[in-house]
Amino acid sequence: LLKRIIQTTTGSSQNVFINDFTYSGNKLVTIAADNGLIQKYFYTGDLITRMEWTVDNSGIPIIYVYSYNNNDQLVTMTKTDNLVDQSFRITYAYNNDNTITLNAYSRTENSEEEFDSSSKYYMNANNDIVRIEDYDPSGTLITQTTTFVYDSKYNPFRNILGWGKLLISRRGYHANVTSMVSSIEGTQTSTYQYNNNDFAIAEEVYIKGENKKR
């Protein structure tokens, strides 16, 4: 199980960020940053159903709630940000061609919920995301495409119970992302070091000429 991430940025600005992970068995309990920010995770059975993220000294968390279908597939994610009186909702629909359709909605305290955009995730046999297509609100025009290539080793997050169900893009879950190519953001590449069990223990990321080390 992943215990700590130390991220160092280089180039025009040099910073170090540390995140520590705590568990109960293989259930994630907290991710705590060295600047005081903390994420708390809550389970129902083997599934992560709630995350509370405290991002400042107010003590008021941003709350994420996850719900699943009878096949333990994520079907809704709601995010409530009481600091700015906003909420967001994403629905997930599973298609026969091994793709997932996401629809995103938002609302403020004094408004009705509005449809924002949609995306389609293309999955590989390991259930990692290999391509994302983002669409405009009409659902017809692709506004951005992002493709991912993976190595054949083990992702540091893969043994965290329920983590892969959250469909977090850009990092992978079973294997590690070696390149990410976006039609808007450009190309990001990563090289890794591995331990004797083939888990990634260090990553060097190159983004538009800058590099970050984890």
Side-chain angles (χ1 to χ4, degrees):
L1 290 168
L2 178 64
K3 295 188 295 184
R4 168 175 279 190
I5 294 177
I6 303 172
Q7 178 173 309
T8 305
T9 62
T10 61
S12 57
S13 61
Q14 298 185 9
N15 297 285
V16 176
F17 306 94
I18 300 175
N19 286 279
D20 288 307
F21 295 68
T22 60
Y23 301 89
S24 175
N26 61 344
K27 293 182 176 180
L28 181 61
V29 176
T30 61
I31 302 176
D34 58 341
N35 61 1
L37 307 187
I38 188 168
Q39 299 175 19
K40 298 180 180 179
Y41 290 83
F42 304 86
Y43 285 76
T44 301
D46 292 340
L47 299 171
I48 297 171
T49 50
R50 184 182 177 93
M51 189 268 280
E52 297 180 358
W53 185 15
T54 303
V55 298
D56 61 16
N57 294 326
S58 70
I60 301 173
I62 298 172
I63 298 172
Y64 294 76
V65 176
Y66 308 93
S67 64
Y68 303 82
N69 61 22
N70 291 332
N71 295 319
D72 291 342
Q73 295 171 316
L74 181 66
V75 291
T76 61
M77 185 281 290
T78 59
K79 172 187 174 183
T80 303
D81 188 344
N82 292 310
L83 293 173
V84 292
D85 295 323
Q86 287 184 324
S87 63
F88 305 88
R89 181 170 67 97
I90 297 176
T91 63
Y92 303 78
Y94 296 81
N95 308 311
N96 293 328
D97 59 355
N98 204 34
T99 63
I100 304 171
T101 300
L102 288 71
N103 289 316
Y105 306 83
S106 65
R107 66 178 297 274
T108 60
E109 183 180 18
N110 298 316
S111 70
E112 297 292 330
E113 183 178 71
E114 296 183 355
F115 174 69
D116 292 331
S117 62
S118 63
S119 301
K120 181 176 283 190
Y121 285 5
Y122 292 77
M123 315 298 292
N124 64 15
N126 288 329
N127 210 37
D128 279 324
I129 302 165
V130 294
R131 179 179 172 87
I132 297 175
E133 294 175 350
D134 296 320
Y135 295 83
D136 66 1
S138 71
T140 57
L141 178 64
I142 297 177
T143 58
Q144 180 176 205
T145 60
T146 310
T147 57
F148 305 88
V149 177
Y150 297 85
D151 62 11
S152 58
K153 306 295 186 179
Y154 295 144
N155 190 292
F157 288 81
R158 68 180 286 139
N159 285 332
I160 299 176
L161 188 64
W163 186 269
K165 303 287 186 180
L166 301 182
L167 297 173
I168 299 172
S169 65
R170 299 173 180 257
R171 176 164 290 279
Y173 172 65
H174 292 89
N176 304 286
V177 175
T178 57
S179 72
M180 181 184 74
V181 180
S182 166
S183 60
I184 293 178
E185 300 173 24
T187 299
Q188 171 182 308
T189 59
S190 294
T191 57
Y192 296 90
Q193 298 176 25
Y194 306 93
N195 65 13
N196 292 334
N197 294 317
D198 284 340
F199 278 87
I201 58 171
E203 174 188 8
E204 189 158 358
V205 186
Y206 293 88
I207 308 172
K208 294 183 178 179
E210 299 182 1
N211 66 60
K212 299 180 180 181
K213 296 181 181 180
R214 285 192 285 265

